[in-house]
Amino acid sequence: MALYILGALLVVALAAFIIGRARAISIAGREISSLHSRPTYHGGFLAIWASVPAFLATILLASLSGSYVENAVLDKFSDTLSTIGSAQTQAFLRDVRSLAETAGETGRQVILSTKGELREQAELAAELYTSQISTVNVAMLVLSVILVLAGGVYGYTRIKVEKRNRHFVEKFITGILVICSAVAILITIGIVFSLIFESIRFFQKVPFFDFLFGYHWSPQSAFENASGTSLAGDNSRIFGAIPLFVGTFLITFIAISIAAPLGLMSAIYMSDYASQRFRAIAQPVMEILAGIPTVVYGFFAALTVAPAIRGWGEAVGLSVSSESALAAGVVMGIMIIPFVMSLSDDVINSVPQSLRDGSYAMGATRSETIRRVVLPAALPGIVSALLLAVSRAVGETMIVVMAAGLAANLTINPLEAVTTVTVQIVTLLVGDQEFDSAKTLAAFALGLVLFVITLCLNVYALYVVKKYREQYD
Amino acid sequence: MAKSEIKMSGKDVSVSYGAKQALFDVNLDIPAKQVTALIGPSGCGKSTFLRCLNRMNDTIDICRVSGDIRLDDQDIYHRDIDVVELRARVGMVFQKPNPFPKSIFENVSYGPKIHGLVRNKTELEEIVVNSLQRAGLFEEVKDRLHEPGTGLSGGQQQRLCIARAIAVSPEVILMDEPCSALDPIATAIVEELIDELRENYTIVIVTHSMQQAARVSQQTAMFHLGHLVEVDETDTIFTNPSDQKTQDYITGRYG
Ligand SMILES: Nc1ncnc2c1ncn2[C@@H]1O[C@H](COP(=O)(O)OP(=O)(O)O)[C@@H](O)[C@H]1O
Ligand SMILES: [Mg+2]
């Protein structure tokens, strides 16, 4: 119902806009320029008054109505429900909802989880539920109509020649922009807080330092006894995250060792050596490289690079596991080359041409100019580009899931299989899980650690970039 | 003005940027140990000509230079000429001061280092101090040689750039509107410096200020739409120009 009303309000807004504009034109008569604001602003003014109050009221009612109706049902059937547990009550409500939704339709099978007397009660409750919902819907409709009429009439009578509706519309737009950015910020804050709270729950089961500094990771053997509380002693021994950090670090290190030189050198070539023509071709190619989904890199790593490395290893008599840190690291390195390149290209290009000219005019060659003037000037920016690349590599999931393996080996041998923080988050959450088991919550704790690491890297990198920008502005 | 030897000369110099021709058959001699001023309205090719003299135009992909340009009777566009060496002999100072984001000392020592002009630290220090002194900057910065050159005032930065240019002992110094980003006091200081430098260097300066051209130069060349309109002793140009365009330009009747 709410959706229909909101749809109708769009039409109302459009109509009000046209009416308001026509009204403004007719008030002004021949002299349109006597209006303080152009007619469209008066149209906007009327559209806002006619639709926005009703829009807000509908959304408010719709979001409150669900819990209101449920509470009404729970109230009515409190006698029955007081005897059963909360899980049963949830099942009861679920059934009530599905019964109510299918009430009018015949021949549709509803799968219900309650049985016997509770089932009969649920059917009764569903009737109550249905009638309550329709009451709410009627209320919503009536309220909307009243608000549209009231707002419309108010707005219509306020359209005057000297009315400053241009400013009104301006303020309204400002308000909308503020609300949108507030929503984005609040959602971010919400995610961070849920991460923190779930992590705290995890740390109640597994001590913080056991998690952070433990070197044995095997959450599959997490054991919970019958009452649902974990055996803290065991858990603190199997949730040691050091192998994951080491694995993440190892792969990131390999990736950066590949991406940093290649990305940086190609950025230098592109900005200071390449001809216009070459740039015009090469830049789009790099963008294509940057646009390849990481899952594609992932199976490239797993199916092409890993076997190749294994083959080479065997040829020289090294034992290489079929999933190796090296394969994942190399492919991840390739993946972030365009990233490193375009960031350093920006930085190198923002070193003013006048500095290069100064150096050339002194008789310096190109590479002397790059080494002695451009790179030192761009260094802070390049460092921060590399930090951003590191944080990208640390958070990368798909490639390592496919190519690095799941074994939480504590090793820095790049030829062995290792696992990373992101891979483990995936494996912890894949499949059926109790939401509040230590195993699931561990994913939040890992997520939090990952978040803190990348946040620090990004903040520091951006800080460096900013300082560096100021130097040339 | 005594007739002096010719340090640099351009014969039939034409320059085009892609399809657009910027200079047409310019013939201009630069006398040694004098200041030659290039004047003319914006876009007439003064900077383009100046940049031919140390082949800075080489750094622009689309730029094509033809004609014969000589330094001490040596064709500088000849295949055997090493551009790096040429630029060490023909230094340049730009319109906007562009010290490297390094210390004052490193700015001046940049040239001697890349050209391997010094054998040890003492020699290097000698050159730096000497160049700063000749650029009239040493007294002001002697206590902060190791602070960034970008921290100096605009006028000081420009003198630092001059010191940087003379540190490799060039024979010719090209200056492209060296004072246009400076305030009148800094301008006066730099002009005085140019007058002193004339003793040891051949100087070519582009300027938009008629007074400046009159004050510092001995020879003046007037450009217009890519053509050299006339060239003569500065006194003659400013008192008795032979071309109407020059007359209009120096009296301010021409944009
Ligand atoms: N890098 C360049 N690319 C293309 N055209 C240029 C370039 N530099 C200068 N020009 C053109 O050459 C002409 C002469 O420019 P310039 O020598 O800078 O004039 P001036 O220094 O006398 O003001 C102008 O028309 C300008 O547009
Ligand atoms: Mg110019």
Side-chain angles (χ1 to χ4, degrees):
Chain A
M1 188 63 190
L3 278 183
Y4 293 120
I5 296 178
L6 294 182
L9 284 177
L10 280 183
V11 179
V12 167
L14 188 64
F17 175 80
I18 293 167
I19 295 171
R21 213 174 63 144
R23 169 76 180 158
I25 291 171
S26 83
I27 284 181
R30 267 163 196 278
E31 296 188 50
I32 291 288
S33 61
S34 68
L35 288 171
H36 168 272
S37 306
R38 278 181 292 130
T40 43
Y41 287 114
H42 293 284
F45 171 77
L46 187 58
I48 290 165
W49 269 110
S51 61
V52 172
F55 184 84
L56 294 178
T58 309
I59 288 189
L60 192 67
L61 273 186
S63 56
L64 293 181
S65 67
S67 62
Y68 166 75
V69 172
E70 263 169 32
N71 282 335
V73 171
L74 291 179
D75 249 16
K76 189 83 190 247
F77 292 84
S78 57
D79 294 345
T80 326
L81 295 176
S82 60
T83 59
I84 59 176
S86 73
Q88 287 268 24
T89 310
Q90 289 305 321
F92 175 77
L93 273 179
R94 255 199 316 274
D95 286 358
V96 170
R97 250 179 266 128
S98 34
L99 281 168
E101 271 162 26
T102 53
E105 312 166 24
T106 47
R108 206 173 119 187
Q109 208 59 43
V110 205
I111 299 154
L112 298 177
S113 44
T114 51
K115 297 190 181 61
E117 198 192 337
L118 198 53
R119 166 79 172 270
E120 282 160 28
Q121 292 284 322
E123 270 160 25
L124 284 177
E127 274 169 38
L128 175 66
Y129 189 92
T130 316
S131 74
Q132 289 281 349
I133 288 281
S134 49
T135 317
V136 169
N137 281 344
V138 170
M140 212 147 52
L141 187 60
V142 170
L143 188 62
S144 297
V145 170
I146 292 174
L147 284 176
V148 165
L149 290 177
V153 168
Y154 175 82
Y156 190 79
T157 53
R158 286 301 153 111
I159 295 177
K160 301 263 166 57
V161 169
E162 73 283 359
K163 183 95 172 101
R164 302 175 166 234
N165 281 336
R166 193 174 175 187
H167 301 311
F168 178 87
V169 172
E170 192 62 34
K171 280 199 190 112
F172 180 77
I173 288 174
T174 312
I176 296 221
L177 296 181
V178 167
I179 290 170
C180 287
S181 42
V183 166
I185 291 169
L186 287 179
I187 288 176
T188 312
I189 293 176
I191 290 176
V192 171
F193 270 87
S194 91
L195 209 51
I196 291 175
F197 284 128
E198 301 299 337
S199 301
I200 289 174
R201 282 175 66 195
F202 173 73
F203 292 130
Q204 283 163 356
K205 296 179 189 244
V206 178
F208 181 69
F209 288 104
D210 287 348
F211 168 73
L212 216 52
F213 299 117
Y215 45 82
H216 181 69
W217 176 267
S218 57
Q220 283 68 23
S221 50
F223 179 73
E224 311 219 355
N225 64 19
S227 64
T229 56
S230 59
L231 299 173
D234 282 348
N235 277 349
S236 61
R237 251 179 286 129
I238 61 173
F239 282 110
I242 288 284
L244 312 191
F245 297 144
V246 171
T248 306
F249 171 78
L250 178 62
I251 290 182
T252 304
F253 179 78
I254 296 170
I256 293 297
S257 323
I258 287 181
L262 282 175
L264 196 55
M265 305 243 183
S266 39
I268 291 173
Y269 181 74
M270 291 285 248
S271 64
D272 281 74
Y273 285 83
S275 69
Q276 206 83 44
R277 277 236 316 281
F278 180 80
R279 257 201 304 273
I281 298 168
Q283 227 127 30
V285 172
M286 279 295 171
E287 266 152 41
I288 292 174
L289 203 56
I292 296 175
T294 60
V295 66
V296 175
Y297 283 104
F299 61 69
F300 173 61
L303 302 181
T304 312
V305 177
I309 289 179
R310 196 186 149 104
W312 292 333
E314 270 161 12
V316 298
L318 287 172
S319 90
V320 183
S321 69
S322 60
E323 295 176 318
S324 64
L326 191 58
V330 166
V331 174
M332 194 189 283
I334 295 172
M335 182 197 84
I336 52 181
I337 286 174
F339 186 71
V340 173
M341 199 193 109
S342 76
L343 284 176
S344 359
D345 191 55
D346 278 354
V347 179
I348 291 173
N349 270 327
S350 70
V351 174
Q353 181 63 32
S354 67
L355 288 185
R356 293 183 171 88
D357 284 346
S359 173
Y360 291 139
M362 294 297 302
T365 62
R366 241 179 218 177
S367 74
E368 282 166 348
T369 301
I370 303 258
R371 269 184 295 130
R372 290 171 175 267
V373 175
V374 178
L375 285 187
L379 193 64
I382 289 170
V383 168
S384 75
L386 291 181
L387 288 180
L388 288 176
V390 168
S391 104
R392 180 87 194 268
V394 166
E396 167 53 35
T397 314
M398 226 44 235
I399 293 174
V400 276
V401 165
M402 296 173 82
L406 299 173
N409 293 328
L410 183 51
T411 176
I412 52 166
N413 177 358
L415 302 179
E416 275 184 50
V418 296
T419 191
T420 68
V421 175
T422 49
V423 171
Q424 289 305 315
I425 292 178
V426 172
T427 43
L428 286 172
L429 295 180
V430 166
D432 280 337
Q433 301 290 347
E434 282 279 357
F435 186 64
D436 47 5
S437 72
K439 223 175 121 182
T440 319
L441 291 175
F444 284 97
L446 288 178
L448 184 66
V449 172
L450 207 55
F451 170 72
V452 170
I453 292 174
T454 48
L455 181 73
C456 291
L457 284 172
N458 288 358
V459 167
Y460 183 68
L462 291 177
Y463 164 78
V464 174
V465 168
K466 187 157 162 271
K467 263 192 78 171
Y468 164 77
R469 286 259 159 75
E470 282 162 3
Q471 203 178 324
Y472 291 116
D473 282 348
Chain B
M1 190 181 71
K3 200 80 190 154
S4 80
E5 66 174 300
I6 304 300
K7 185 71 188 172
M8 295 192 84
S9 69
K11 279 208 174 47
D12 300 329
V13 178
S14 296
V15 179
S16 41
Y17 295 100
K20 183 180 187 308
Q21 189 162 0
L23 277 187
F24 301 84
D25 297 325
V26 172
N27 290 292
L28 181 60
D29 289 341
I30 313 287
K33 309 243 163 114
Q34 287 191 13
V35 178
T36 300
L38 310 182
I39 61 171
S42 283
C44 66
K46 308 180 295 292
S47 301
T48 301
F49 182 76
L50 198 68
R51 293 162 60 91
C52 287
L53 300 179
N54 66 344
R55 293 185 54 177
M56 273 303 276
N57 283 329
D58 291 12
T59 61
I60 300 170
D61 284 345
I62 53 169
C63 187
R64 292 282 166 274
V65 179
S66 69
D68 184 50
I69 303 174
R70 288 174 179 271
L71 170 64
D72 285 342
D73 230 24
Q74 214 176 9
D75 179 6
I76 64 169
Y77 280 82
H78 192 274
R79 241 182 309 115
D80 295 340
I81 286 287
D82 181 2
V83 184
V84 165
E85 218 170 280
L86 169 71
R87 289 185 190 148
R89 292 173 66 191
V90 184
M92 188 166 205
V93 174
F94 296 83
Q95 178 170 5
K96 200 171 147 248
N98 57 350
F100 302 134
K102 301 166 175 283
S103 72
I104 294 170
F105 186 92
E106 286 170 313
N107 261 285
V108 183
S109 64
Y110 186 80
K113 266 191 189 159
I114 59 173
H115 293 298
L117 300 182
V118 288
R119 272 182 310 250
N120 54 43
K121 222 166 162 226
T122 341
E123 273 183 37
L124 187 63
E125 271 165 18
E126 230 168 75
I127 290 192
V128 169
V129 170
N130 189 268
S131 306
L132 284 171
Q133 271 166 346
R134 277 191 286 168
L137 188 62
F138 185 69
E139 287 305 311
E140 291 160 64
V141 301
K142 63 180 175 203
D143 302 324
R144 43 173 177 155
L145 286 180
H146 295 283
E147 285 170 32
T150 42
L152 297 173
S153 76
Q156 289 174 324
Q157 286 188 13
Q158 196 61 299
R159 277 179 286 151
L160 177 60
C161 292
I162 294 174
R164 183 175 74 185
I166 59 185
V168 292
S169 314
E171 296 153 39
V172 183
I173 302 177
L174 312 174
M175 300 184 171
D176 195 347
E177 300 181 41
C179 300
S180 67
L182 305 186
D183 64 57
I185 293 173
T187 300
I189 296 174
V190 171
E191 280 180 13
E192 213 169 292
L193 174 60
I194 293 171
D195 207 44
E196 285 166 19
L197 291 173
R198 170 162 65 94
E199 219 173 287
N200 298 305
Y201 306 95
T202 303
I203 294 174
V204 186
I205 178 173
V206 172
T207 177
H208 270 139
S209 151
M210 293 308 105
Q211 292 90 328
Q212 183 167 71
R215 277 194 299 263
V216 302
S217 73
Q218 287 74 51
Q219 174 182 266
T220 296
M222 163 78 192
F223 284 75
H224 184 251
L225 295 178
H227 295 273
L228 178 65
V229 175
E230 71 171 301
V231 52
D232 211 329
E233 289 178 19
T234 299
D235 292 340
T236 317
I237 291 272
F238 279 89
T239 51
N240 189 16
S242 55
D243 194 283
Q244 186 60 36
K245 284 203 268 304
T246 315
Q247 170 83 35
D248 290 349
Y249 184 69
I250 58 178
T251 53
R253 249 173 286 158
Y254 189 99

